Structure formats: C-alpha cells, structure tokens
C-alpha cells in the first residue's frame, strides 16, 4: 500500500502521476518546465509547508499538468479548433476584491457572450451541451469537491463547477500564475515570474479558448483575472483586438480583503504564510501589479480600455453595463445584482501586520 506523500514531489514523479491519472503522456513543448522547477524549489526551500500544505500544493501542480495533457490530446482530436476566431474578447481585470467577479458574471450572463466555466478550466475540451454535464465524470467530481468547500471561504468568493470563473488555470498550464504566490510564501518563484515574458502562456490560453469555444464560435468571450495586471503586453500580443476593463477600488479595502481571503483559502498549509508575512507579501504583490499595469497601459491605444469605479458599479450596475455595451457597440440588456451568498466577509489590515499608511505608501508608488 502506497503511503501518503508529505512533500510536493519532483518534476519526474509529478509527470508520472499526471500520466497515471489520464493515460496520456504528451505534455507538449517544454516551455513550462523552468517554471515548474522554480516552483518546486520555492515550495521546498521557502514555503515551510505542513503535510496538508504539501498535499494541496502537489495537487495544484499535478492538476496543471493534467490539464496540459488534456489540452494537448483535445487539440489533436479536434484540429478544427485552430480555425475558431476569438474576436474582440473582453478581459475584466483590476485589483482583487474590486468588483471584478460580479462584473464578469453579469457580462457573461449575456446570451451573446460566453464565459469560462470552472470545470472546463480543469478539463479543457469543446464545451459539451449543458444538459449533458451531469453525466460527465470530471464535472461530477469537481462539482462534489466544490460543494464541500468551507462556507466561510464561499462567503468571500463563491465558486461552483458550473459557474464562470477566473482564467488563471489556463495560464497555470504554463506554470505562470500569481495564484501560486497568493497561497504560499514563494519569494523565489515570485522573483522568477516577475522577470518572465508571459506571451507563451497567453498564446496557450488563446488556443484553449479556441478549443473550449468550438461549439460556440459566434459568441464573444468575456474573461476575468486580476493577474492580467502583470502581463498586459503578453495579453495584447495574443489578443491584439482585446477590450480590457479595469476596475478601481480603494486599496486599503482591497488589501485587507484579499489578505483575509487568501488566509482562509490557505489555512493550515503553513505556519509561515499567515499574519504579517502574508500581509506584506500580498501588499508588495498587488501594488507591484498595479504599478506595472499602469506603465504598460500607457504605451497602448486608449481605445483598448474601459474604466469602472467599484462604488459607481455597486450603486448602479445597470449604468455600468450600459456604459460597457455602448463602448462595445452591442445592445444593452437588463441586469440585476444577485444577493450575497454565504456568511459576511470581514477583514482588518491589522490582522496582517499592516496599517492604512503602509497601504497608502505602497500604492502611492503605483501611480
């Protein structure tokens, strides 16, 4: 009987495990391996993971490799995906906890649009008819897993297998995602990622959209991910006609909220990644992301961008949607904000060793 692992693993055994799960062994080009090596080094030497943290982190990496295998196999099975256009996609980005999720879900609810359902980020394939999903074993497994999620975490960010979600899991196939450093202390990987050109990851991202959207090629993609802040140039290289919606909210509230969310999501995974260590890491990460996005945005045509103020959006979501549809040149639709689900999300900067002055100073450097 094989004993449970208490480490994240190695490059070779992670690949072997992904192959055993899928029966597939073609991972495609090796442009993701440097990132995987750096992640494993950072997990091993810096993250101070508990056995539970090691198990979860191993699961993240293996899931990325499994998704990579499934994409490669599906691309071969459906070569016609390469002819699917991705015209003028919409990317919602901004600091986390700034209304990106609510705005994304409202836009994706438009019948003329398509979003990226969570289960298809894990198992990329041409989107099956919705009425058949319950019969799909991967969907059923993921749905059951998310239904068991911590209610407190769901109160901060509700997720479900059939719901549109962030597209970072597609970037994770290339081992380029700030999601890793949002859930563990990984300064080495963070420094490595900050120096990378993300273009290869976004080109793979686009190819996955062509695959998943194969049955819905006439619908506009609407996607969302705060980490697009770090890779605007790569995004616009892969999607030169993209429309980028940037949300804006007071950084003091944003940082307190994202620290609380990430602390809940990673509870029990490390005695190090908590409190002030977590707080400083997230403040540095997101202030740097906003600073980079502002610098990169200034070099691109302003016609690519739409700005949304969080307070204006919450006060009048219909007016915000009308503004966006006007810019897109599409007919507006009537919307209503869904009621909050789960327990209220409460947070305080002091819980993470931060003050309002710390946040103001970090973001004053972000322009």
């Amino acid at each position: 009987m094989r004993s449970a692992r208490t480490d994240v693993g190695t490059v070779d055994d992670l690949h072997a495990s992904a192959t055993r799960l899928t029966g597939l062994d073609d991972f495609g080009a090796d442009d993701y391996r440097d990132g995987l090596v750096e992640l494993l080094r950072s997990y091993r030497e810096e993250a101070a993971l508990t056995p539970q943290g090691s198990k979860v982190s191993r699961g993240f990496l293996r899931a990325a490799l499994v998704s990579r295998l499934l994409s490669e196999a599906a691309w071969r099975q459906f070569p016609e995906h390469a002819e699917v256009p991705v015209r003028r996609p919409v990317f919602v980005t901004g600091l986390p906890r700034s209304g990106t999720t609510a705005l994304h879900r409202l836009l994706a609810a438009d019948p003329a649009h398509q979003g990226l359902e969570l289960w298809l980020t894990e198992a990329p394939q041409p989107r099956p008819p919705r009425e058949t999903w319950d019969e799909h074993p991967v969907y059923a497994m993921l749905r059951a897993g998310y239904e068991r999620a911590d209610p407190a975490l769901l109160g901060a960010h509700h997720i479900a297998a059939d719901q549109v979600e962030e597209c970072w899991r597609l970037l994770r196939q290339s081992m380029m995602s700030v999601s890793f450093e949002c859930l563990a202390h990984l300064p080495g990987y963070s420094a490595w990622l900050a120096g990378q050109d993300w273009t290869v990851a976004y080109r793979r991202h686009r190819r996955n959209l062509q695959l998943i959207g194969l049955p819905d090629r006439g619908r506009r993609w609407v996607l969302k991910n705060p980490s697009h802040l770090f890779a605007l140039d790569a995004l616009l290289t892969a999607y030169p006609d993209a429309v980028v919606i940037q949300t804006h909210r007071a950084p003091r509230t944003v940082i307190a909220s994202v620290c609380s969310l990430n602390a809940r999501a990673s509870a029990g995974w490390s005695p190090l990644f908590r409190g002030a260590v977590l707080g400083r890491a997230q403040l540095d990460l997101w202030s740097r992301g906003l600073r980079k996005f502002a610098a990169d945005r200034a070099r691109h045509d302003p016609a690519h961008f739409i700005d949304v103020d969080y307070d204006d959006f919450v006060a009048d979501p219909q007016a915000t949607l009308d503004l966006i549809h006007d810019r897109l040149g599409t007919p507006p639709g009537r919307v209503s904000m869904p009621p909050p689900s789960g327990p209220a999300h409460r947070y305080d900067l002091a819980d993470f060793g931060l003050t309002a002055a710390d946040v103001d100073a970090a973001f004053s450097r972000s322009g």
Side-chain angles (χ1 to χ4, degrees):
M1 180 177 178
R2 183 180 294 133
S3 61
R5 295 191 69 105
T6 57
D7 65 316
V8 178
T10 67
V11 170
D12 289 343
D13 71 58
L14 282 165
H15 282 82
S17 182
T19 291
R20 283 195 301 272
L21 283 173
T22 61
L24 303 168
D25 61 6
D26 183 359
F27 293 90
D30 64 358
D31 46 33
Y32 65 98
R33 284 181 172 262
D34 286 351
L36 178 56
V37 168
E38 190 57 46
L39 273 166
L40 288 171
R41 188 204 65 76
S42 213
Y43 277 128
R44 183 177 62 250
E45 298 178 7
E46 300 171 328
L49 296 175
T50 64
Q52 180 189 3
S54 292
K55 179 180 179 180
V56 173
S57 300
R58 177 179 174 80
F60 289 156
L61 297 181
R62 185 173 61 183
L65 293 174
V66 165
S67 296
R68 191 177 178 93
L69 285 169
L70 294 175
S71 291
E72 295 289 338
W75 290 336
R76 290 191 300 275
Q77 183 179 357
F78 302 98
E80 64 271 27
H81 80 276
E83 304 304 319
V84 174
V86 182
R87 295 191 181 95
R88 213 175 176 215
V90 174
F91 289 83
V92 179
T93 194
L95 292 172
R97 321 303 294 163
S98 64
T100 55
T101 297
L103 180 58
H104 174 227
R105 290 176 181 170
L106 287 176
L107 288 168
D110 188 320
H113 295 164
Q114 59 180 314
L116 189 59
E117 292 86 4
L118 176 56
W119 80 282
L120 292 173
T121 68
E122 300 275 9
Q125 61 190 279
R127 185 185 290 108
R130 178 63 184 83
E131 63 271 15
T132 69
W133 290 7
D134 288 338
E135 303 165 10
H136 198 292
V138 174
Y139 171 74
M141 177 187 68
L142 290 169
R143 182 186 63 188
Y146 287 113
E147 286 174 350
R148 293 192 298 268
D150 179 1
L153 181 59
L154 293 179
H157 180 78
H158 186 264
I159 53 177
D162 64 346
Q163 188 166 266
V164 294
E165 255 301 328
E166 296 180 350
C167 53
W168 56 260
R169 288 174 179 82
L170 298 184
L171 298 171
R172 191 175 64 175
Q173 287 191 16
S174 301
M175 301 298 167
M176 291 186 182
S177 173
V178 300
S179 64
F180 296 112
E181 57 193 289
C182 286
L183 297 172
H185 184 64
L186 303 172
Y189 173 74
S190 180
W192 175 86
L193 185 61
Q196 299 306 302
D197 179 350
W198 293 48
T199 301
V200 66
Y202 276 89
R203 285 179 172 152
R204 187 176 185 91
H205 181 286
R206 182 186 180 106
R207 196 173 175 191
N208 272 299
L209 294 191
Q210 290 176 294
L211 172 71
I212 295 167
L214 182 60
D216 299 290
R217 62 177 66 202
R219 296 163 64 199
R220 184 202 298 267
W221 277 103
V222 178
L223 302 132
K224 172 253 181 175
N225 188 354
S227 73
H228 295 315
L229 292 176
F230 298 85
L232 178 62
D233 288 345
L235 186 158
L236 290 175
T237 296
Y239 300 98
D241 60 348
V243 176
V244 180
I245 301 175
Q246 183 182 0
T247 57
H248 302 267
R249 189 183 188 187
R252 293 181 184 182
T253 303
V254 161
I255 293 301
S257 182
V258 77
C259 285
S260 175
L261 177 66
N262 291 346
R264 292 183 184 190
S266 61
W269 298 358
S270 167
L272 175 61
F273 191 66
R274 55 188 298 183
V277 171
L278 186 156
R280 179 54 59 179
Q282 297 307 295
L283 178 59
D284 290 349
L285 174 68
W286 293 109
S287 61
R288 173 167 55 85
L290 193 62
R291 185 163 55 247
K292 177 170 174 52
F293 186 83
D296 292 345
R297 175 174 169 168
R299 297 196 304 272
H300 292 282
D301 186 342
H304 281 293
F305 304 98
I306 301 172
D307 291 290
V308 169
D309 179 81
Y310 174 86
D311 292 328
D312 291 345
F313 171 51
V314 171
D316 192 346
Q318 184 64 57
T320 296
L321 268 291
D322 289 347
L323 168 68
I324 292 170
H325 279 287
D326 183 64
R327 287 287 305 275
L328 295 177
T330 54
R334 303 306 301 174
V335 303
S336 59
M337 291 286 283
S341 60
H345 181 206
R346 305 187 186 282
Y347 39 81
D348 191 325
L349 283 171
D351 293 338
F352 304 97
L354 298 173
T355 66
D358 293 331
V359 177
D360 292 348
F363 280 91
S364 68
R365 297 193 297 272
S366 300

